[in-house]
Amino acid sequence: SVGQDAFVRACEHNDEFLKIVRYAMLPTMKEGARKLESMTPDEIFRRLDVDVSGTIDSFELKSLVQGRFHNSWEMYTIDTAALAAVTVAGVHGAISMGLHPLVAATSGIVMSLGGVLRDLFCGRDLAMASQSYAFATGAGSTVYVLTREMALRGYPFSAITRIFLSMGTTVSIRCWEYFRGEQLLAPMHGRK
């Protein structure tokens, strides 16, 4: 464990250490980066010392690292890329099995349940991505099915074009939601 005096001294004598601590705290700061940059080492210590014991112990450090990992833009990017790939693979598999195009398009929405279950079992925040999963995979699957149907009717949509358009749709929706901070299909409760 690390006491407050040792933590503050380390922050004051090593700017790189302070920068790393702030970087690790960023995803968990609801107030944003500006607030974090203006915080003194004492304030940062008090924020990290969750149990108010006067020391930062291994549990609090573990929480900091997990928060940085689970809520990071890096994790969101990897998650989005995997979601786009699984969307294409799932809808292609549904089509290959001879399922009706409407059923194949909705397979993307059903597949998003796997991501929601993963979040549930891993203790991640479900509100962070569950609606985004369903909408993005549904839209990506629909684009793939529509472009495939157009290709069957003679329009020039190669398989690689369908894949990129489908993945691009999925990624675009997730990017919109991440950078705008709002869901395209926001819940209706609480609206007037």
Side-chain angles (χ1 to χ4, degrees):
S1 64
V2 177
Q4 185 170 359
D5 292 336
F7 179 83
V8 170
R9 273 196 313 274
C11 290
E12 290 171 348
H13 294 294
N14 189 342
D15 289 336
E16 189 64 28
F17 174 73
L18 182 58
K19 189 185 299 185
I20 290 169
V21 170
R22 285 183 170 145
Y23 181 73
M25 289 178 65
L26 188 58
T28 61
M29 289 289 295
K30 291 181 176 58
E31 299 91 347
R34 286 193 180 140
K35 171 67 175 166
L36 184 57
E37 287 297 320
S38 68
M39 290 175 71
T40 66
D42 281 316
E43 291 171 325
I44 292 172
F45 180 86
R46 284 192 295 275
R47 177 69 67 104
L48 293 175
D49 185 18
V50 178
D51 61 3
V52 195
S53 64
T55 62
I56 299 174
D57 58 22
S58 61
F59 175 77
E60 291 159 335
L61 286 175
K62 178 181 170 188
S63 297
L64 176 67
V65 171
Q66 285 178 337
R68 171 67 186 108
F69 177 73
H70 289 304
N71 300 319
S72 68
W73 68 268
E74 296 96 337
M75 184 64 174
Y76 196 85
T77 302
I78 292 168
D79 206 26
T80 298
L83 186 66
V86 167
T87 297
V88 170
V91 72
H92 181 72
I95 289 171
S96 297
M97 291 173 52
L99 297 177
H100 188 276
L102 184 61
V103 174
T106 58
S107 70
I109 298 169
V110 173
M111 286 183 338
S112 68
L113 179 62
V116 172
L117 288 175
R118 179 213 51 213
D119 290 347
L120 184 65
F121 292 137
C122 293
R124 288 177 61 189
D125 184 13
L126 286 179
M128 180 177 112
S130 58
Q131 287 178 326
S132 175
Y133 282 168
F135 184 63
T137 56
S141 296
T142 301
V143 166
Y144 187 91
V145 168
L146 288 176
T147 54
R148 181 182 179 278
E149 290 298 312
M150 291 173 73
L152 291 175
R153 287 167 177 68
Y155 291 94
F157 285 105
S158 66
I160 196 74
T161 302
R162 294 192 305 263
I163 289 169
F164 277 114
L165 287 173
S166 176
M167 291 178 80
T169 301
T170 304
V171 169
S172 296
I173 290 169
R174 295 273 292 169
C175 286
W176 169 274
E177 292 182 348
Y178 183 81
F179 289 113
R180 292 286 304 239
E182 60 188 43
Q183 298 172 347
L184 286 173
L185 291 178
M188 296 303 289
H189 67 282
R191 292 200 176 194
K192 296 185 188 216

